[in-house]
Amino acid sequence: MATTPAPTAAKSPSPPPRSILRDPVFLRLWAGTTASGLATWALPFVLGLAVLHRDLSAAGLGLVLAARTAGFLAAVAVGGVLADRHARRAVVLWSALAAGAAAPLLAAGLGRSLVLMTAAAALAGAGQGACRPAFQALVAETVEPERRQRANAAMTLAVRASTLAGPALTALLAAFLDVRTLLLGIGLLWLVAAFVPAPGAAAPAAAAGPAPRAGFRAEFLEGMREARRHPWFLAGLAALACVISLGYSATSVALPLISRDRYGTEWVLASAMTAYTVGALAGALLMARRRPRSQGWAAFAGLAAYGFAPLSLVLPVHPVVVVAAYAVAGTGIELFNVPWFTATQREVAPDKLARVSSLDFLVSYGLAPVGLALIAPAVSAFGVTPVLTACAAACFLVPAAAALVPSARHFARTAPAARD
């Protein structure tokens, strides 16, 4: 005899996902990253105040900042290897402590020894560079895969907020504190970055058991081989290199000149740069809530949007158009960054993630000075308009070409349905 099945209880709706910032472990990581970002963005501003107070010459400022960049570039690759070889939390601790130790050395050398300040700046840059890949890998280590996009959006929000709050907060404190005290305050921020993040997991390599350890060069090359396994990553890196070395560098050189010569005011320069940061904040907030079906194509479209910044400087348009173009460029860069970081954490082998991330930072930070050095002579030789036109075209076309690479549509070697 057939029986009537008992009615099943109605499924209760699943609770809304908890905010990523309510996770204590991630919140501590986010706070440490924010502190390091504030320290990073505040240092050039504080050193600029030292120039105004005649404790440091303009040439000395350039030398000190160049030493910091050199220290960063030298340490970021080493930091990637260390973060895959040892516990990533330990790499953050010691690199942040190194950057923090540079602050009192900078204060001691201020007005007394440019050599000491240059060496201290190199140490600060090395600490900053070594902790970047470790911070990036710690996100993947502490956050579940389905929540990483929100986590990366929160991280990039911290970075963009630091670009606004760092100089502004420093300017406020400068009304009450001298330059040496401000430098020591930067050291305290690095101590926060060192000690606030929660203890992480063991070294990724340790999970596989003891194995013969290769040298630094061999391990870094192993990370490069891992990067080559992902065509979408190489395509994205090439597009990012183009936008940074051509688009970003061209606008950095041209915007101050055009603001002064075409519009006769510094307001355009200040407003455009502020709009860029505000647009980036908006882009990060958007990516915290949206997940495009074809995230790779959407990300490359966002990266190509940077081309509107140099394009707005080509013709004598109203200043509002320039400001709006920079806001669009800022939004687009985060439409690229957030899924880019998330895909890297998802697709790259966990024990090679920091090394692959270090390649990203090498391109992001390393090509900017090269582009700045080449764009200025190009502007002198060919004029602002041809250079800006060529750079805008490259910003539009290279990401579009990168989007055609196999696996670029989803930032994955296989489509999501196939992976599931």
Side-chain angles (χ1 to χ4, degrees), residues 74-92:
V76 69
V78 176
V81 173
L82 290 175
D84 282 339
R85 176 184 286 188
H86 304 287
R88 285 150 180 172
R89 178 64 185 85
V91 175
V92 168

Side-chain angles (χ1 to χ4, degrees), residues 204-227:
R213 177 168 289 177
F216 269 80
R217 180 176 178 273
E219 290 194 14
F220 183 74
L221 291 177
E222 186 181 12
M224 294 184 67
R225 286 193 293 272
E226 172 65 19

Side-chain angles (χ1 to χ4, degrees), residues 267-359:
W267 177 87
V268 177
L269 170 62
S271 299
M273 297 311 297
T274 302
Y276 178 83
T277 303
V278 172
L281 289 169
L285 285 171
L286 180 63
M287 293 310 298
R289 298 180 175 275
R290 292 197 60 189
R291 295 175 183 239
R293 293 182 61 183
S294 301
Q295 61 172 337
W297 285 357
F300 281 124
L303 186 62
Y306 195 94
F308 288 110
L311 186 64
S312 70
L313 302 177
V314 172
L315 299 175
V317 295
H318 193 279
V320 172
V321 176
V322 176
V323 175
Y326 270 77
V328 170
T331 301
I333 205 71
E334 294 308 334
L335 297 183
F336 174 83
N337 279 339
V338 174
W340 170 259
F341 292 145
T342 306
T344 303
Q345 294 158 356
R346 181 188 66 239
E347 297 293 321
V348 172
D351 62 331
K352 302 177 182 67
L353 176 56
R355 279 170 284 177
V356 173
S357 296
S358 70
L359 293 175

Side-chain angles (χ1 to χ4, degrees), residues 26 66 98 157 170 223 233 242 250 258 284 292 300 320 339 365 409:
F26 177 75
L157 276 170
T170 304
F233 182 85
C242 171
I258 289 175
F300 281 124
V320 172
Y365 288 84
R409 178 175 181 175

